[in-house]
Amino acid sequence: MGRKVVVDQERCVGCGNCQSLCPEVFRLDLELAKSQVIKPEGGPDCVQEAMDSCPGGAISWQEG
Ligand code: SF4
């Protein structure tokens, strides 16, 4: 039930925008240089900001 935030690991280029804009939900794994979702249920509107600022188009909502 409900939707969750997902980061497509193949599309993520590790820029860190999502973490900067929305640290509650995203964390950049520095070793992998990929963003990890640490709060899949999302949070405030910053998820949308992160989506809009993701150069890889890697962030999306998945209906669950
Ligand atoms: S903004 Fe997009 S490309 Fe950049 S780290 Fe986050 S998910 Fe990856």
Side-chain angles (χ1 to χ4, degrees):
M1 289 283 285
R3 58 185 193 165
K4 60 181 185 177
V5 182
V6 293
V7 170
D8 184 323
Q9 298 293 295
E10 296 194 351
R11 289 186 169 196
C12 175
V13 298
C15 70
N17 285 351
C18 53
Q19 178 180 263
S20 300
L21 291 165
C22 201
E24 195 179 321
V25 176
F26 302 97
R27 181 170 52 216
L28 185 65
D29 183 311
L30 292 175
E31 278 185 25
L32 296 173
K34 301 286 181 185
S35 174
Q36 310 296 313
V37 176
I38 54 175
K39 193 180 171 202
E41 69 271 33
D45 291 344
C46 65
V47 172
Q48 185 61 51
E49 286 177 48
M51 261 179 214
D52 294 343
S53 304
C54 175
I59 304 168
S60 64
W61 288 103
Q62 195 173 71
E63 300 296 332

